[in-house]
Amino acid sequence: MYEYTSSKSLFERAQQSIPGGVNSPVRAFKSVGGTPVFIKKAKGAYLYDEDGQEYIDYIASWGPMILGHAYTPVIEAIQNKAADSTSFGAPTVLEIEMAELIRSMTKNVDLIRMVNSGTEACMSAIRLARGYTGKNKFIKFEGCYHGHADMFLVKAGSGVATFGIQHVPGVTAGIANDTLTAPYNDLSAVQQLVAEHKDEIAAIIIEPIAGNMGCILPEAQFIKGLRALCTQENILLIFDEVMTGFRMAAGGAQEKLGVDADLVTYGKVIGAGMPVGAFGGKRAIMEHIAPLGNVYQAGTLSGNPLAMAAGCALLQALKNNPQYYTELEEKTIYLREGLDQVLNASGVDYVINQMGSMISIHFSKQAVTDFASSAASDIPFFSRFFHAMLKRGIYLPPSAFESWFLNNALSYADLDKTIAAAKESLAEIMA
Ligand code: HOZ
């Protein structure tokens, strides 16, 4: 029996000086129970904990490790750049290279501004949408998570859903009033909100393929309907591509779904896992950002040289090797089919949602298409499955409300091991 001895004592120690022992709530394992595993290092598809246990990683740092951990060109780029200092607070060539690279890979991004996280990217995009349209309200979807800025913590997914937090103390009613919410995949609910708040809505922000209530896919008529509605009503459509950007395709979810956004936000993928984010869009909109316009947005660490060097190395590799996307999708379909077989044979109720290299299992009888159906799944069963997989060396997200992310360093032997572990785990739980 694996005891997690070092992780347990580190968690004890961490709780003395860090709230809940962690710096981001989901990783505390609170909803699945047990002790969070403290990670020492990672290489390729594998994580290694402080006790020396190896895991096949299905989190990929929540998305950005598309080509696996410690990818050599990324590590070399960081090492080379670090010797030139870690921050200047002044412009660098690398920032131009990053902007040009993103523009060359993605549609509808004429101008792009670097920030430091996905949260910053989304809150800045909303400020810009308000400044550009002169309207105050915006629509988000129940179970979508756009970072922890006040206005997004209304019916949010990820940790807010994981911990069942209904109202976040500290978010004022005034701020929450400008956030309107609709169920994911429900176009008529959005149409109704738009009609009720005629000429008040600046933006609709969406995870175009949702990953913060497990993986949930957009129905074609829903996502295309949002585009048409936004165009018709002078509302900006913001795609939060923090998880899907450069992962679903070189052009992200916009390319995968064939739907154009007005503004796009990115997160850690732009820095190959370094702390960074970005928001970009059409020139006429982005020109409202300071110093061109009066919509103020700034940051000393924005465009940080180490983050830019790392991100350029990853994005360049993805741009030069379009086959990586096919390989990743083929691996994810192989995993889905293998899991489908063992889940089906076990007799448990389940739904697997998958698109590109994002996938998740909900233990549910009914289709999972929105937050309500995700929340209605058997969460205690997921927790048992999570722990049964963990002790077999498979590291899944420690929440039923998170997507799994594959990386291209995974081998078919790793996928077979994962499917075999799922078979054993289900047998153990259902015995
Ligand atoms: N909210 C993140 C995933 N959707 C989790 C981040 C973390 O705990 O590191």
Side-chain angles (χ1 to χ4, degrees), residues 23-27 62 145 158-159 211-212 243 268 401-402 405:
N23 281 310
S24 190
V26 173
R27 60 181 85 156
W62 305 101
Y145 180 74
S158 188
N212 283 294
M243 289 179 169
K268 45 236 164 202
F401 294 102
E402 301 283 357
F405 298 92

Side-chain angles (χ1 to χ4, degrees), residues 156-287:
S158 188
V160 181
T162 302
F163 300 119
I165 299 171
Q166 301 297 330
H167 165 72
V168 179
V171 174
T172 64
I175 282 178
N177 277 344
D178 282 332
T179 305
L180 307 172
T181 60
Y184 201 83
N185 274 322
D186 189 342
L187 183 59
S188 54
V190 181
Q191 286 164 332
Q192 196 178 326
L193 279 177
V194 170
E196 283 167 5
H197 297 274
K198 187 89 184 141
D199 296 327
E200 290 180 320
I201 298 170
I204 296 178
I205 186 166
I206 186 166
E207 290 177 70
I209 297 144
N212 283 294
M213 42 183 160
C215 176
I216 298 207
L217 314 186
E219 285 155 17
Q221 55 85 23
F222 166 68
I223 199 86
K224 289 184 195 300
L226 289 183
R227 175 64 277 168
L229 183 63
C230 284
T231 305
Q232 185 189 310
E233 298 289 336
N234 186 30
I235 294 170
L236 298 188
L237 181 60
I238 305 174
F239 271 14
D240 175 345
E241 295 235 39
V242 167
M243 289 179 169
T244 53
F246 306 100
R247 170 169 278 280
M248 280 295 144
Q254 287 195 93
E255 179 181 330
K256 186 84 177 165
L257 303 173
V259 176
D260 292 338
D262 298 306
L263 289 173
V264 189
T265 63
Y266 300 109
K268 45 236 164 202
V269 66
I270 301 285
M274 298 281 288
V276 63
F279 64 104
K282 294 174 182 159
R283 183 173 294 273
I285 305 168
M286 290 298 291
E287 280 179 347

Side-chain angles (χ1 to χ4, degrees), residues 331-353:
K331 287 177 188 177
T332 315
I333 291 170
Y334 182 88
L335 178 67
R336 187 192 73 209
E337 290 175 350
L339 290 173
D340 192 37
Q341 261 182 20
V342 299
L343 285 157
N344 192 31
S346 76
V348 72
D349 293 320
Y350 70 97
V351 170
I352 307 181
N353 286 342

Side-chain angles (χ1 to χ4, degrees), residues 2 12 18 20 43 61 64 128 153 158 200 233 371 427:
Y2 191 62
E12 283 292 310
I18 302 172
K43 180 71 189 162
S61 191
L128 173 58
L153 294 178
S158 188
E200 290 180 320
E233 298 289 336
F371 181 69

